[in-house]
């Protein structure tokens, strides 16, 4: 299996590596690229799938990036596993950069004045999440639901993030597509050449028939 590990991670190890991978993000990136190259599929399909994962990383659909990448990859007839690998482009290092640029671009496109800093964006996500949780719990209690923070969050952060992430997401995913196709094709050619050499060596060692 492509993603099977010899020693399964424990839950604490999995949570820690979600925030900061073992060996750093450089090693994690090398691992993702290595796995992507080894996918047994056409280079164009692998590239479309990976590009789908990259694109969804520029959206504010946190918690649904895997599902979103699968849906886009399926629509583009891309490789599903490559799409899941592509979502790792959105990680704790790149996500703050994506968030600031996407929200800023979205505000400009929608004509919303003001400039938001990263702490403000993070705080708005936290407040919206808290109010969403409180409203969900209010279903089972006598508390009154409140939607003021969620409405402000959607107008000031979520909508600009979603609109502003489209163009950068398309641009970066296209770059990754054009980089991925020759990378996977070269790797598959190398593997085929190595397989041919091994077959030739086995044939040379085989005793001749009488």
């Amino acid at each position: 299996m492509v993603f099977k590990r010899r020693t399964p991670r424990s839950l604490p190890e999995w949570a820690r590596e979600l925030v900061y991978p073992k060996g750093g993000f450089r090693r994690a990136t090398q691992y993702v690229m290595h796995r992507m190259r080894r996918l047994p599929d056409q280079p164009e399909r692998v590239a479309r799938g990976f590009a789908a994962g990259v694109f969804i990383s520029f959206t504010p659909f946190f918690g649904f990036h895997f599902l979103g990448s699968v849906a886009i990859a399926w629509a583009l007839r891309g490789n599903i596993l490559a799409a899941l690998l592509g979502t790792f482009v959105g990680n704790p290092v790149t996500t703050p950069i994506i968030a600031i640029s996407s929200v800023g671009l979205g505000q400009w496109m929608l004509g919303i004045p003001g400039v938001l800093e990263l702490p403000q964006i993070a705080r708005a996500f936290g407040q919206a999440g808290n109010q969403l949780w409180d409203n969900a719990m209010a279903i089972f209690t006598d508390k009154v639901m409140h939607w003021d923070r969620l409405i402000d969050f959607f107008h000031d952060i979520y909508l600009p993030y979603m609109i502003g992430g489209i163009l950068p997401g398309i641009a970066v995913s296209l770059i990754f597509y054009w980089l991925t196709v020759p990378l996977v094709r070269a790797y598959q050619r190398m593997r085929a050449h190595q397989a041919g050499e091994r077959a030739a060596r086995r044939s040379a060692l085989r005793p001749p028939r009488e």
Side-chain angles (χ1 to χ4, degrees):
M1 293 178 63
V2 175
F3 295 105
K4 188 176 182 180
R5 296 174 59 90
R6 293 181 180 178
T7 304
R9 292 192 188 103
S10 64
L11 184 59
E13 289 175 338
W14 180 87
R16 181 185 63 81
E17 293 198 19
L18 185 65
V19 177
Y20 188 83
K22 184 178 180 180
F25 286 102
R26 180 178 179 182
R27 183 177 177 183
T29 301
Q30 293 173 342
Y31 175 79
V32 169
M33 297 303 293
H34 173 70
R35 287 300 188 184
M36 183 190 64
R37 289 183 304 174
R38 292 174 62 89
L39 291 175
D41 205 343
Q42 300 173 6
E44 291 77 11
R45 280 179 51 85
V46 173
R48 287 198 297 269
F50 194 78
V54 172
F55 175 79
I56 204 67
S57 299
F58 282 78
T59 68
F61 307 140
F62 300 112
F64 299 94
H65 280 179
F66 274 9
L67 293 177
S69 68
V70 169
I72 297 175
W74 178 81
L76 297 176
R77 297 184 180 180
N79 186 281
I80 300 299
L81 295 181
L84 299 180
L85 289 171
T87 61
F88 286 95
V89 169
N91 54 65
V93 172
T94 61
T95 296
I97 302 173
I98 293 173
I100 293 175
S101 59
S102 296
V103 171
L105 180 58
Q107 287 181 312
W108 176 77
M109 295 175 67
L110 295 172
I112 299 175
V115 177
L116 294 176
E117 302 293 338
L118 182 60
Q120 294 174 292
I121 297 174
R123 192 182 308 114
F125 268 96
Q127 292 174 347
N130 289 337
Q131 189 165 78
L132 187 63
W133 174 258
D134 291 340
N135 287 346
M137 293 298 98
I139 298 176
F140 308 100
T141 64
D142 57 354
K143 292 184 178 180
V144 179
M145 293 184 180
H146 298 281
W147 301 94
D148 54 326
R149 290 182 180 177
L150 287 170
I151 293 173
D152 292 341
F153 169 74
F154 180 81
H155 178 267
D156 298 335
I157 305 292
Y158 200 83
L159 184 59
Y161 195 147
M162 184 169 56
I163 299 298
I166 293 176
L167 292 180
I170 292 175
V172 176
S173 62
L174 286 176
I175 291 173
F176 272 98
Y177 174 85
W178 292 113
L179 291 175
T180 302
V181 170
L183 180 69
V184 175
R185 183 176 290 130
Y187 182 81
Q188 291 180 349
R189 287 176 179 172
M190 182 188 70
R191 295 273 293 183
H193 179 70
Q194 292 175 344
E197 288 183 338
R198 288 194 296 268
R201 286 196 296 268
R202 287 195 298 267
S203 179
L205 293 174
R206 192 175 302 145
R209 295 181 180 178
E210 297 182 356

